[in-house]
Amino acid sequence: LGRFRPPSRELPATPDLKPHYDVVIIGAGGHGLAAAYNLARYWGVRSIAVLDRGYIGGGNTARNTAIVRANYLTPEGVGFYKESMQLFETLSQELDFNVMYTRKPHLTLAHTDASIRTMRWRAEVNTHLGVRSELVFRDEIAAIEPRLHLGDDVRYPVLGALYHPVGGTARHDAVAWGYAMRAAELGVEIHQLTEVTGLDVAGGSVRRVHTNRGSIECGQVLQAVAGASSEVARMAGLKLAIRTVPLQACVSQPLKPFLNAIIVSGSLHCYIWQSQRGELVMGGAVDPYPLWSTRSTLDFKEGLMAHILELFPFLSEVRVMRQWAGMADMTPDFAPIMGKTHLDNYYIDAGWGTWGFKATPVCGKRMAECIATNRQPDILAAFHHDRFLRFEQVGEAGAASVGS
Ligand code: PYC
């Protein structure tokens, strides 16, 4: 019957920890699992343990709002997210698992002359690097999104927008599950409920990883723990330029399809798109204070809805159905921290603020390359964690979608 057996939809049960793994990955979110899959599939590494204090995709992978785009501001950012978007286009086939990747036009609204200037700048950089983006004005916006309020009778009328026709969304949980399934088939061990409690560092490398289920010897170690990056890096003696703050979001009750695009307004601090189930997925800026908690607040919901209703006044009677928060590891330049560290065998995938989900496939591919070759891939050069010491920040604030 072998050849008629469908691909597995069940993950193997968590096995006992072995005394040694060639690669230990801390964090079974999308990024950690994608790196494990790529290492096993394309670099032939089979002795891999992925450890997570919770469950697969239960951290920020489950808490983002699933937007994929490449319309960044810096050449480093555009090139990086462009590769990720290309990988998303074929991810369901790659993993033989439906991640529901759907193209959607993406509009970043400009309400001031200053933001028109930034949108024009982004459009120029994007076009130069082969990413489709252009500056559009009210008539064109009305054609793309006819129900968006474009009148002058609001505090911040819409003047124009950056139009990115090739944005999209994917089912965030499915991305983690797909990578997990295929990695497990290649022999990767996924250890859920396995919390890293300490790292033994000696002679410039990490020797042992201690967990609540025992300790293990490791060849190389990757940390991919968005929301807990500073905590885990500290165990390896690394101090990161990261401030961790909650980022909240919510969805409405399902409505019949009416919204074509993903609409973002940096000035109003809000964004909205409509899911395949008809729910409106909405969010805003990060909470204005550091806090290690994923609780939801009424204050966030009230502030967000005031802005959403300026864009879509007819939604005033719609109910919010679910609300949640993730933990955003914000860097000063709104760019990630990736690649090699000062330790020989310790690698980092961090600084994912509010921009991590869309980078999942490129992070998996490039972190696997970094670990397998022990060399910083060119595409990650600008994201090295020592850039802050060298004053070589990437400066992605103008394109981070929801600000701080
Ligand atoms: O980067 O597109 C984005 C985004 C939307 C919500 C949070 N981040």
Side-chain angles (χ1 to χ4, degrees):
L1 278 180
R3 110 188 136 88
F4 299 109
R5 189 169 294 139
S8 171
R9 299 189 63 82
E10 292 271 334
L11 278 166
T14 298
D16 287 338
L17 282 170
K18 296 196 178 100
H20 171 95
Y21 295 91
D22 291 346
V23 178
V24 172
I25 297 178
I26 309 172
H31 288 212
L33 292 164
Y37 167 79
N38 277 275
L39 275 168
R41 171 99 164 75
Y42 294 107
W43 297 94
V45 184
R46 293 296 159 91
S47 163
I48 302 175
V50 184
L51 316 178
D52 201 291
R53 69 179 167 190
Y55 56 93
I56 287 173
N60 284 338
T61 299
R63 294 162 187 281
N64 64 80
T65 43
I67 295 169
V68 177
R69 61 185 175 91
N71 56 354
Y72 277 76
L73 176 66
T74 65
E76 295 85 355
V78 176
F80 178 73
Y81 292 104
K82 178 183 172 189
E83 181 166 298
S84 208
M85 215 168 66
Q86 286 165 343
L87 292 166
F88 260 117
E89 297 265 350
T90 54
L91 194 58
S92 294
Q93 290 89 330
E94 166 86 27
L95 299 176
D96 194 9
F97 196 95
N98 188 0
V99 302
M100 295 169 70
Y101 181 70
T102 313
R103 264 201 189 181
K104 286 189 175 61
H106 187 285
L107 284 170
T108 313
L109 305 178
H111 306 260
T112 62
D113 290 345
S115 75
I116 289 277
R117 178 182 166 274
T118 308
M119 298 313 153
R120 193 185 300 279
W121 179 3
R122 283 169 67 179
E124 292 295 330
V125 176
N126 289 187
T127 306
H128 185 68
L129 294 170
V131 168
R132 289 177 62 198
S133 279
E134 62 185 288
L135 186 60
V136 293
F137 295 95
R138 279 193 194 170
D139 286 357
E140 294 146 306
I141 299 172
I144 299 162
E145 200 53 79
R147 290 191 173 81
L148 178 64
H149 182 69
L150 291 170
D152 282 321
D153 54 340
V154 283
R155 242 180 348 150
Y156 294 113
V158 175
L159 302 183
L162 180 70
Y163 171 49
H164 180 46
V166 292
T169 58
R171 174 91 175 92
H172 45 18
D173 300 317
V175 171
W177 296 333
Y179 277 120
M181 299 274 183
R182 297 304 159 247
E185 275 172 12
L186 293 166
V188 171
E189 290 182 11
I190 302 170
H191 293 266
Q192 305 184 76
L193 299 177
T194 305
E195 180 165 6
V196 171
T197 52
L199 300 170
D200 283 353
V201 180
S205 58
V206 177
R207 300 292 166 92
R208 294 191 76 77
V209 178
H210 298 284
T211 80
N212 59 337
R213 293 177 54 230
S215 75
I216 43 188
E217 221 178 66
C218 49
Q220 293 162 293
V221 183
L222 165 65
Q223 76 157 77
V225 289
S229 301
S230 305
E231 255 181 299
V232 174
R234 204 174 296 122
M235 295 180 195
L238 285 171
K239 192 160 184 234
L240 302 180
I242 278 178
R243 185 176 57 101
T244 301
V245 284
L247 176 66
Q248 303 191 49
C250 59
V251 292
S252 74
Q253 65 190 120
L255 304 174
K256 75 176 183 187
F258 73 94
L259 195 55
N260 303 319
I262 301 162
I263 312 277
V264 180
S265 168
S267 306
L268 297 182
H269 292 299
C270 66
Y271 64 92
I272 177 168
W273 64 276
Q274 190 168 24
S275 76
Q276 283 86 340
R277 283 194 295 222
E279 296 163 3
L280 299 171
V281 183
M282 297 171 281
V286 294
D287 283 356
Y289 35 74
L291 181 72
W292 291 86
S293 166
T294 51
R295 56 90 185 92
S296 299
T297 64
L298 178 62
D299 180 60
F300 159 79
K301 198 162 39 186
E302 284 181 342
L304 177 65
M305 292 316 152
H307 291 314
I308 294 282
L309 291 179
E310 286 187 47
L311 301 176
F312 295 99
F314 61 89
L315 294 178
S316 61
E317 298 298 316
V318 172
R319 286 164 192 270
V320 168
M321 200 167 66
R322 293 192 303 280
Q323 193 182 346
W324 68 91
M327 299 307 305
D329 286 338
M330 304 299 291
T331 52
D333 59 358
F334 291 67
I337 298 174
M338 296 191 73
K340 284 168 65 68
T341 66
H342 69 281
L343 298 172
D344 288 342
N345 65 342
Y346 196 77
Y347 307 83
I348 189 156
D349 175 335
W352 287 112
T354 65
W355 43 86
F357 171 70
K358 68 175 79 63
T360 306
V362 70
C363 288
K365 175 177 170 182
R366 296 304 186 168
M367 286 311 305
E369 177 187 340
C370 185
I371 293 166
T373 60
N374 197 23
R375 174 183 163 267
Q376 184 92 352
D378 291 346
I379 200 167
L380 303 186
F383 305 135
H384 198 281
H385 84 103
D386 71 5
R387 69 180 182 275
F388 302 105
L389 298 175
R390 291 184 276 107
F391 300 103
E392 288 176 0
Q393 281 94 327
V394 181
E396 203 58 86
S401 198
V402 289
S404 62

PDB file of all heavy atoms in Angstrom, residues 50-51 75 102 106-107 121 170 185 188 210 254 272 285 304 310 341-342 358 382 392 399:
ATOM      1  N   VAL A  50      15.020  20.165  17.813  1.00  0.00           N
ATOM      2  CA  VAL A  50      14.372  21.478  17.968  1.00  0.00           C
ATOM      3  C   VAL A  50      13.673  21.465  19.329  1.00  0.00           C
ATOM      4  O   VAL A  50      12.857  20.575  19.597  1.00  0.00           O
ATOM      5  CB  VAL A  50      13.347  21.741  16.847  1.00  0.00           C
ATOM      6  CG1 VAL A  50      12.774  23.150  16.974  1.00  0.00           C
ATOM      7  CG2 VAL A  50      13.966  21.544  15.461  1.00  0.00           C
ATOM      8  N   LEU A  51      14.032  22.417  20.191  1.00  0.00           N
ATOM      9  CA  LEU A  51      13.485  22.443  21.561  1.00  0.00           C
ATOM     10  C   LEU A  51      12.524  23.621  21.716  1.00  0.00           C
ATOM     11  O   LEU A  51      12.796  24.709  21.208  1.00  0.00           O
ATOM     12  CB  LEU A  51      14.613  22.619  22.583  1.00  0.00           C
ATOM     13  CG  LEU A  51      15.891  21.790  22.393  1.00  0.00           C
ATOM     14  CD1 LEU A  51      16.899  22.148  23.492  1.00  0.00           C
ATOM     15  CD2 LEU A  51      15.565  20.300  22.410  1.00  0.00           C
ATOM     16  N   PRO A  75      17.663  48.925   0.629  1.00  0.00           N
ATOM     17  CA  PRO A  75      18.025  47.861  -0.314  1.00  0.00           C
ATOM     18  C   PRO A  75      18.229  46.523   0.404  1.00  0.00           C
ATOM     19  O   PRO A  75      17.837  45.471  -0.107  1.00  0.00           O
ATOM     20  CB  PRO A  75      19.336  48.357  -0.928  1.00  0.00           C
ATOM     21  CG  PRO A  75      19.317  49.835  -0.745  1.00  0.00           C
ATOM     22  CD  PRO A  75      18.521  50.111   0.505  1.00  0.00           C
ATOM     23  N   THR A 102      -1.960  33.483  -0.440  1.00  0.00           N
ATOM     24  CA  THR A 102      -2.900  34.175  -1.339  1.00  0.00           C
ATOM     25  C   THR A 102      -2.354  35.559  -1.635  1.00  0.00           C
ATOM     26  O   THR A 102      -2.066  36.324  -0.708  1.00  0.00           O
ATOM     27  CB  THR A 102      -4.274  34.355  -0.627  1.00  0.00           C
ATOM     28  OG1 THR A 102      -4.637  33.118  -0.033  1.00  0.00           O
ATOM     29  CG2 THR A 102      -5.354  34.793  -1.592  1.00  0.00           C
ATOM     30  N   HIS A 106      -1.458  45.394  -1.716  1.00  0.00           N
ATOM     31  CA  HIS A 106      -1.120  45.995  -0.420  1.00  0.00           C
ATOM     32  C   HIS A 106      -1.031  47.502  -0.614  1.00  0.00           C
ATOM     33  O   HIS A 106      -0.313  47.980  -1.490  1.00  0.00           O
ATOM     34  CB  HIS A 106       0.226  45.411   0.031  1.00  0.00           C
ATOM     35  CG  HIS A 106       0.640  45.797   1.415  1.00  0.00           C
ATOM     36  ND1 HIS A 106       1.122  47.044   1.724  1.00  0.00           N
ATOM     37  CD2 HIS A 106       0.664  45.089   2.571  1.00  0.00           C
ATOM     38  CE1 HIS A 106       1.418  47.083   3.019  1.00  0.00           C
ATOM     39  NE2 HIS A 106       1.145  45.911   3.552  1.00  0.00           N
ATOM     40  N   LEU A 107      -1.798  48.251   0.161  1.00  0.00           N
ATOM     41  CA  LEU A 107      -1.801  49.719   0.050  1.00  0.00           C
ATOM     42  C   LEU A 107      -1.319  50.324   1.362  1.00  0.00           C
ATOM     43  O   LEU A 107      -1.926  50.078   2.414  1.00  0.00           O
ATOM     44  CB  LEU A 107      -3.215  50.228  -0.204  1.00  0.00           C
ATOM     45  CG  LEU A 107      -3.799  50.074  -1.610  1.00  0.00           C
ATOM     46  CD1 LEU A 107      -5.297  50.413  -1.590  1.00  0.00           C
ATOM     47  CD2 LEU A 107      -3.082  50.980  -2.614  1.00  0.00           C
ATOM     48  N   TRP A 121       9.865  57.376  -2.238  1.00  0.00           N
ATOM     49  CA  TRP A 121      11.221  56.840  -2.006  1.00  0.00           C
ATOM     50  C   TRP A 121      11.162  55.305  -2.020  1.00  0.00           C
ATOM     51  O   TRP A 121      11.950  54.636  -2.695  1.00  0.00           O
ATOM     52  CB  TRP A 121      11.697  57.400  -0.665  1.00  0.00           C
ATOM     53  CG  TRP A 121      13.035  57.005  -0.157  1.00  0.00           C
ATOM     54  CD1 TRP A 121      13.975  56.217  -0.760  1.00  0.00           C
ATOM     55  CD2 TRP A 121      13.588  57.391   1.106  1.00  0.00           C
ATOM     56  NE1 TRP A 121      15.072  56.079   0.044  1.00  0.00           N
ATOM     57  CE2 TRP A 121      14.861  56.799   1.208  1.00  0.00           C
ATOM     58  CE3 TRP A 121      13.129  58.177   2.170  1.00  0.00           C
ATOM     59  CZ2 TRP A 121      15.673  56.956   2.327  1.00  0.00           C
ATOM     60  CZ3 TRP A 121      13.945  58.340   3.284  1.00  0.00           C
ATOM     61  CH2 TRP A 121      15.204  57.737   3.346  1.00  0.00           C
ATOM     62  N   ALA A 170      -0.665  34.361   4.295  1.00  0.00           N
ATOM     63  CA  ALA A 170      -0.577  32.897   4.361  1.00  0.00           C
ATOM     64  C   ALA A 170      -1.141  32.462   5.705  1.00  0.00           C
ATOM     65  O   ALA A 170      -1.227  33.257   6.644  1.00  0.00           O
ATOM     66  CB  ALA A 170       0.876  32.440   4.230  1.00  0.00           C
ATOM     67  N   GLU A 185       9.840  14.159   9.070  1.00  0.00           N
ATOM     68  CA  GLU A 185      10.015  13.036   8.125  1.00  0.00           C
ATOM     69  C   GLU A 185      11.484  12.824   7.770  1.00  0.00           C
ATOM     70  O   GLU A 185      11.891  11.717   7.433  1.00  0.00           O
ATOM     71  CB  GLU A 185       9.253  13.327   6.824  1.00  0.00           C
ATOM     72  CG  GLU A 185       7.804  12.935   6.900  1.00  0.00           C
ATOM     73  CD  GLU A 185       7.032  13.406   5.688  1.00  0.00           C
ATOM     74  OE1 GLU A 185       7.650  13.841   4.682  1.00  0.00           O
ATOM     75  OE2 GLU A 185       5.809  13.372   5.758  1.00  0.00           O
ATOM     76  N   VAL A 188      14.369  14.990  11.852  1.00  0.00           N
ATOM     77  CA  VAL A 188      14.534  16.036  12.869  1.00  0.00           C
ATOM     78  C   VAL A 188      13.656  15.687  14.076  1.00  0.00           C
ATOM     79  O   VAL A 188      12.496  15.317  13.911  1.00  0.00           O
ATOM     80  CB  VAL A 188      14.115  17.414  12.290  1.00  0.00           C
ATOM     81  CG1 VAL A 188      14.069  18.483  13.371  1.00  0.00           C
ATOM     82  CG2 VAL A 188      15.046  17.816  11.155  1.00  0.00           C
ATOM     83  N   HIS A 210      21.349  22.966  28.669  1.00  0.00           N
ATOM     84  CA  HIS A 210      20.596  22.378  29.792  1.00  0.00           C
ATOM     85  C   HIS A 210      19.106  22.639  29.589  1.00  0.00           C
ATOM     86  O   HIS A 210      18.718  23.756  29.221  1.00  0.00           O
ATOM     87  CB  HIS A 210      21.041  23.004  31.117  1.00  0.00           C
ATOM     88  CG  HIS A 210      22.493  22.741  31.401  1.00  0.00           C
ATOM     89  ND1 HIS A 210      22.946  21.519  31.837  1.00  0.00           N
ATOM     90  CD2 HIS A 210      23.585  23.538  31.263  1.00  0.00           C
ATOM     91  CE1 HIS A 210      24.270  21.571  31.979  1.00  0.00           C
ATOM     92  NE2 HIS A 210      24.679  22.787  31.626  1.00  0.00           N
ATOM     93  N   PRO A 254     -17.262  37.232  11.083  1.00  0.00           N
ATOM     94  CA  PRO A 254     -17.126  37.095   9.626  1.00  0.00           C
ATOM     95  C   PRO A 254     -18.158  37.933   8.862  1.00  0.00           C
ATOM     96  O   PRO A 254     -19.308  38.018   9.268  1.00  0.00           O
ATOM     97  CB  PRO A 254     -17.355  35.601   9.379  1.00  0.00           C
ATOM     98  CG  PRO A 254     -17.752  34.989  10.657  1.00  0.00           C
ATOM     99  CD  PRO A 254     -17.710  36.000  11.745  1.00  0.00           C
ATOM    100  N   ILE A 272      -5.690  46.635   8.184  1.00  0.00           N
ATOM    101  CA  ILE A 272      -6.874  45.777   8.107  1.00  0.00           C
ATOM    102  C   ILE A 272      -6.822  44.967   6.809  1.00  0.00           C
ATOM    103  O   ILE A 272      -6.412  45.479   5.771  1.00  0.00           O
ATOM    104  CB  ILE A 272      -8.165  46.644   8.189  1.00  0.00           C
ATOM    105  CG1 ILE A 272      -9.435  45.787   8.046  1.00  0.00           C
ATOM    106  CG2 ILE A 272      -8.179  47.752   7.145  1.00  0.00           C
ATOM    107  CD1 ILE A 272     -10.712  46.570   8.410  1.00  0.00           C
ATOM    108  N   ALA A 285      -0.286  49.893  16.381  1.00  0.00           N
ATOM    109  CA  ALA A 285       1.092  50.062  16.867  1.00  0.00           C
ATOM    110  C   ALA A 285       1.332  49.163  18.078  1.00  0.00           C
ATOM    111  O   ALA A 285       0.394  48.668  18.704  1.00  0.00           O
ATOM    112  CB  ALA A 285       1.311  51.517  17.244  1.00  0.00           C
ATOM    113  N   LEU A 304      -7.765  51.583  18.328  1.00  0.00           N
ATOM    114  CA  LEU A 304      -7.683  51.013  16.975  1.00  0.00           C
ATOM    115  C   LEU A 304      -8.980  51.252  16.213  1.00  0.00           C
ATOM    116  O   LEU A 304      -8.975  51.680  15.049  1.00  0.00           O
ATOM    117  CB  LEU A 304      -7.390  49.508  17.081  1.00  0.00           C
ATOM    118  CG  LEU A 304      -7.354  48.758  15.760  1.00  0.00           C
ATOM    119  CD1 LEU A 304      -6.194  49.241  14.895  1.00  0.00           C
ATOM    120  CD2 LEU A 304      -7.242  47.251  15.989  1.00  0.00           C
ATOM    121  N   GLU A 310     -12.387  55.644  10.695  1.00  0.00           N
ATOM    122  CA  GLU A 310     -12.111  56.786   9.804  1.00  0.00           C
ATOM    123  C   GLU A 310     -11.937  56.284   8.374  1.00  0.00           C
ATOM    124  O   GLU A 310     -12.233  56.988   7.417  1.00  0.00           O
ATOM    125  CB  GLU A 310     -10.834  57.517  10.239  1.00  0.00           C
ATOM    126  CG  GLU A 310     -11.023  58.344  11.492  1.00  0.00           C
ATOM    127  CD  GLU A 310      -9.795  59.187  11.802  1.00  0.00           C
ATOM    128  OE1 GLU A 310      -9.260  59.845  10.897  1.00  0.00           O
ATOM    129  OE2 GLU A 310      -9.371  59.173  12.979  1.00  0.00           O
ATOM    130  N   THR A 341      27.602  34.811  15.590  1.00  0.00           N
ATOM    131  CA  THR A 341      27.855  35.632  16.777  1.00  0.00           C
ATOM    132  C   THR A 341      29.352  35.538  17.099  1.00  0.00           C
ATOM    133  O   THR A 341      30.095  34.879  16.361  1.00  0.00           O
ATOM    134  CB  THR A 341      27.055  35.101  17.988  1.00  0.00           C
ATOM    135  OG1 THR A 341      27.562  33.800  18.331  1.00  0.00           O
ATOM    136  CG2 THR A 341      25.569  35.008  17.686  1.00  0.00           C
ATOM    137  N   HIS A 342      29.775  36.117  18.218  1.00  0.00           N
ATOM    138  CA  HIS A 342      31.203  36.037  18.573  1.00  0.00           C
ATOM    139  C   HIS A 342      31.565  34.626  19.066  1.00  0.00           C
ATOM    140  O   HIS A 342      32.739  34.306  19.221  1.00  0.00           O
ATOM    141  CB  HIS A 342      31.558  37.093  19.611  1.00  0.00           C
ATOM    142  CG  HIS A 342      30.945  36.830  20.952  1.00  0.00           C
ATOM    143  ND1 HIS A 342      29.634  37.123  21.235  1.00  0.00           N
ATOM    144  CD2 HIS A 342      31.452  36.262  22.066  1.00  0.00           C
ATOM    145  CE1 HIS A 342      29.367  36.768  22.477  1.00  0.00           C
ATOM    146  NE2 HIS A 342      30.456  36.228  23.001  1.00  0.00           N
ATOM    147  N   LYS A 358       6.571  37.208   7.850  1.00  0.00           N
ATOM    148  CA  LYS A 358       6.812  37.232   6.400  1.00  0.00           C
ATOM    149  C   LYS A 358       8.231  36.798   6.032  1.00  0.00           C
ATOM    150  O   LYS A 358       8.511  36.489   4.881  1.00  0.00           O
ATOM    151  CB  LYS A 358       6.520  38.633   5.837  1.00  0.00           C
ATOM    152  CG  LYS A 358       7.509  39.690   6.291  1.00  0.00           C
ATOM    153  CD  LYS A 358       7.250  41.029   5.627  1.00  0.00           C
ATOM    154  CE  LYS A 358       6.125  41.814   6.237  1.00  0.00           C
ATOM    155  NZ  LYS A 358       6.367  42.210   7.653  1.00  0.00           N
ATOM    156  N   ALA A 382      24.106  42.639   6.373  1.00  0.00           N
ATOM    157  CA  ALA A 382      23.728  43.904   7.032  1.00  0.00           C
ATOM    158  C   ALA A 382      23.048  43.674   8.379  1.00  0.00           C
ATOM    159  O   ALA A 382      22.910  44.611   9.165  1.00  0.00           O
ATOM    160  CB  ALA A 382      22.768  44.672   6.126  1.00  0.00           C
ATOM    161  N   GLU A 392      26.282  51.024  12.184  1.00  0.00           N
ATOM    162  CA  GLU A 392      25.878  50.718  10.800  1.00  0.00           C
ATOM    163  C   GLU A 392      24.460  50.176  10.788  1.00  0.00           C
ATOM    164  O   GLU A 392      24.184  49.084  10.277  1.00  0.00           O
ATOM    165  CB  GLU A 392      26.864  49.714  10.181  1.00  0.00           C
ATOM    166  CG  GLU A 392      28.205  50.347   9.888  1.00  0.00           C
ATOM    167  CD  GLU A 392      29.238  49.361   9.366  1.00  0.00           C
ATOM    168  OE1 GLU A 392      28.920  48.160   9.225  1.00  0.00           O
ATOM    169  OE2 GLU A 392      30.374  49.793   9.131  1.00  0.00           O
ATOM    170  N   ALA A 399       9.362  51.769   6.915  1.00  0.00           N
ATOM    171  CA  ALA A 399       8.622  50.727   6.184  1.00  0.00           C
ATOM    172  C   ALA A 399       8.123  49.627   7.104  1.00  0.00           C
ATOM    173  O   ALA A 399       7.693  48.586   6.650  1.00  0.00           O
ATOM    174  CB  ALA A 399       9.516  50.124   5.104  1.00  0.00           C
TER     175      ALA A 399
END
